Amino acid sequence: MKGRFAPSPTGRMHLGNVYAALLAWFSARSKGGGFVLRIEDIDRQRSRDEYARQIESDLQWLGIDWDEEYVQSERFSYYEEHLKCLVSQGLVYPCYCTRADIMATQAPHESDGRVVYKGTCRPENLPKDFIVNRPGALRLRVPDRDIVFSDRHYGCHKINLSRQCGDFILRRADGAWAYQLAVSVDDALLGITEVVRGCDLLLSVPQQMYLFELLGYQAPEYCHLPLLCNDSKQRLSKRDKSLDMGILRDNHSPEEIVGFLAFHAGIIDRPEAVKASELIGAFSWEKVPRENIIVSCSI
């Protein structure tokens, strides 16, 4: 069994990031499994090495350890190899739509405001004399097919690839690797058997499972978490400065932060100072709430 935490080094971690890291670590260690830290720095414009070092420092300070560490920017050759595999299957095509084009021509999906790409640039949908003099993004063609999966925490889901996800990007027009491909290839090659992350990424499961299938890999088990939200019921972000690790480390001990998060994960009955290592045996997915969690501007 092997779990992972995969942060993006685009700023200091906030309490929501730490919550995901801690529960992923608890879940892996409670089963005697390995744990991987993977720095997801494929966004080279926003990623900074100093943020990656801060992530490592913050995790160590909290008592969260790992057995292996990887950096996505050192793994681009693997993504290239697997992209070629998908191209050889005739499933990849260039897309020249801008974000503005997509937002202007396609209705938001259901109630979450997300827009599903409808295949505008599929070869069969373009005029025969269509010519463009700029590079396009590379999209994966998806079938009109339901993907059924059981999330360990949120239960069974059935999501249609075409209607609810749409053809998705593998590589952006500027050459940057897209999240879905990089994450799927890394989870497969690193032997990740359990993915713990926020429930805002639940819709990524069918896309990643489809990639695993096309590339000939076994998909991991997925366990999604409720989000930590601010008083306005918006998920915590790097804009919530009072809850970022820089300020938290100045004002609290690691045991206080771990205890606060363990309380909100249902592991302990009250928010008291405790070492992370002391809670491994008490962790259970049955204790973790399913509704998003409101936290105030301080702990």
Side-chain angles (χ1 to χ4, degrees):
M1 185 271 167
K2 187 187 287 187
R4 50 86 156 171
F5 177 55
S8 298
T10 57
R12 196 70 182 261
M13 286 199 301
H14 56 70
L15 202 63
N17 303 135
V18 176
Y19 183 71
L22 190 64
L23 266 64
W25 186 78
F26 279 151
S27 186
R29 295 309 195 203
S30 67
K31 304 181 191 72
F35 196 65
V36 169
L37 174 63
R38 187 172 72 227
I39 302 298
E40 298 198 337
D41 61 344
I42 53 176
D43 185 346
R44 299 306 296 160
Q45 290 186 333
R46 297 172 59 224
S47 296
R48 298 288 184 271
D49 288 341
E50 61 263 31
Y51 294 145
R53 303 293 80 79
Q54 287 177 339
I55 289 169
E56 295 166 346
S57 173
D58 289 339
L59 293 175
Q60 291 169 339
W61 183 77
L62 289 162
I64 298 173
D65 64 348
W66 55 93
D67 307 296
E68 305 168 43
E69 182 172 357
Y70 300 91
V71 179
Q72 282 192 329
S73 59
E74 299 173 356
R75 301 178 57 80
F76 287 178
S77 62
Y78 297 110
Y79 312 149
E80 188 75 53
E81 175 187 346
H82 288 77
L83 175 62
K84 289 178 180 177
C85 176
L86 297 170
V87 170
S88 71
Q89 297 178 53
L91 298 173
V92 179
Y93 63 91
C95 173
Y96 305 100
C97 297
T98 65
R99 183 181 295 273
D101 293 335
I102 297 170
M103 294 296 291
T105 60
Q106 295 169 197
H109 172 264
E110 295 178 349
S111 60
D112 61 6
R114 183 174 37 81
V115 173
V116 176
Y117 185 72
K118 297 299 184 183
T120 304
C121 285
R122 283 187 175 189
E124 65 270 25
N125 294 334
L126 292 175
K128 292 183 179 180
D129 58 351
F130 180 79
I131 297 175
V132 64
N133 294 316
R134 56 184 170 85
L138 297 180
R139 284 189 185 269
L140 181 72
R141 180 192 296 263
V142 301
D144 183 5
R145 171 182 151 193
D146 292 333
I147 297 289
V148 179
F149 64 95
S150 180
D151 181 80
R152 182 166 185 175
H153 195 50
Y154 285 99
C156 187
H157 293 265
K158 181 171 74 172
I159 296 176
N160 184 274
L161 281 170
S162 177
R163 294 193 302 275
Q164 294 174 267
C165 299
D167 296 350
F168 57 90
I169 291 177
L170 302 173
R171 195 170 195 172
R172 294 185 343 205
D174 62 4
W177 294 103
Y179 169 79
Q180 303 295 3
L181 179 66
V183 165
S184 301
V185 170
D186 282 341
D187 284 344
L189 296 185
L190 301 181
I192 302 301
T193 62
E194 179 184 81
V195 171
V196 176
R197 60 192 180 190
C199 62
D200 55 323
L201 289 171
L202 225 160
L203 197 66
S204 289
V205 174
Q207 298 170 74
Q208 292 170 15
M209 289 184 69
Y210 186 55
L211 280 171
F212 273 99
E213 176 186 321
L214 293 174
L215 296 170
Y217 296 116
Q218 177 69 39
E221 181 177 27
Y222 293 95
C223 310
H224 288 80
L225 301 170
L227 303 178
L228 294 193
C229 298
N230 59 27
D231 291 327
S232 300
K233 298 184 178 181
Q234 298 173 321
R235 68 175 182 176
L236 295 186
S237 72
K238 293 181 173 69
R239 293 185 298 273
D240 294 292
K241 294 297 184 182
S242 64
L243 293 176
D244 82 18
M245 282 301 296
I247 292 177
L248 291 174
R249 285 183 66 163
D250 287 341
N251 293 280
H252 300 279
S253 69
E255 292 81 9
E256 287 175 322
I257 296 171
V258 167
F260 178 82
L261 292 174
F263 166 71
H264 284 293
I267 301 171
I268 56 178
D269 295 331
R270 58 184 183 275
E272 59 186 5
V274 60
K275 290 184 178 180
S277 59
E278 296 173 356
L279 295 175
I280 293 173
F283 176 78
S284 168
W285 280 105
E286 285 67 35
K287 298 177 181 178
V288 179
R290 290 179 174 81
E291 297 296 322
N292 288 344
I293 300 163
I294 304 296
V295 295
S296 63
C297 60
S298 66
I299 71 172

